[in-house]
Amino acid sequence: MQIARTAAELRACVAALRADGRRVGFVPTMGNLHEGHYSLLQVARAHAAHVVASVFVNPTQFGPHEDYARYPRTPEADANGLRQHGCDVLFAPQVAELYPDGIEHGVRVSVPALGGVLEGAVRPGHFDGVATVVSKLFNLVQPDLAVFGQKDYQQLLVIRRLVRELRFPIEVIAAPIVREANGLAMSSRNQYLDVATRARAGAIHAALQAMAAGVRAGEAHEALETAAQASLVAAGLVPDYALLRRADDLGEPAAGQRSALVALIAARAGSTRLIDNVLI
Ligand code: PAF
């Protein structure tokens, strides 16, 4: 595996990969890699001969009071893990390489319609930061395809919109959510949870499944959302939202709609905010 730290090094590495004319897949990450990330690599490998991954904790997608400073950074373990999981090129730039004019005054990419609701409402500017860094990474790597986890469902829709509007010739592939034994979706932030809280956080997936089952049984959306919130509270979590939305644009579904939906939950477990979703 080659490690590129600058845009010039990355371009040289990707050009060498492309020499055989086969497809290049890309997996962008913020590092602190776990099985969930490695499953994205597997998906990329299944669709492309070459795999490039990036590890970059992107400052512009964190709010001023969020965990940018303490976000877990494990560069050596990440490089070893990527090597073991068949990554060909790792791009691990410093902040100044991607934001040469500083993070305050650099170019911004915004996806207004999708970026301002749900997670975007709770984390203003978050999706602008994601859209900005993903645009920069796409422009540098120029992959044929890129893999994003379904866990960050709103992010996935934002990226799809970005690709469509900026006409990036990149296929966006969604990878299924990888879960712990109790259903908790894998996330780098899970390591902030103590053992007891981690066990209680399994209630999030249980609540999503109950919402999905209720929809299929024809129950009223609002009652299902209320019941999901109550079950989260009963498990000692603090829900931000438990909602049923249209899967394609996160709009409010028609009453009685039973398919093309997504159930989404954001809940706090202590000071850690967890998100998860299930497609219906
Ligand atoms: O999902 C993530 O890890 C990040 O939001 C991403 C896509 C790597 C952009 O920083």
Side-chain angles (χ1 to χ4, degrees), residues 28-30 56 58 61 130 133-134 148 152 155:
T29 81
M30 296 209 300
F56 179 68
N58 172 37
Q61 68 188 75
V130 171
V133 79
V134 170
F148 291 84
D152 294 307
Q155 169 171 284

Side-chain angles (χ1 to χ4, degrees), residues 102-128:
I103 58 172
E104 296 298 323
H105 306 293
V107 167
R108 283 298 165 101
V109 179
S110 179
V111 184
L114 279 167
V117 298
L118 300 173
E119 287 305 288
V122 181
R123 306 180 67 189
H126 169 69
F127 288 112
D128 289 358

Side-chain angles (χ1 to χ4, degrees), residues 176-189:
I177 300 174
V178 180
R179 301 185 177 282
E180 300 190 2
N182 69 347
L184 176 63
M186 283 199 185
S187 162
S188 298
R189 291 192 170 102

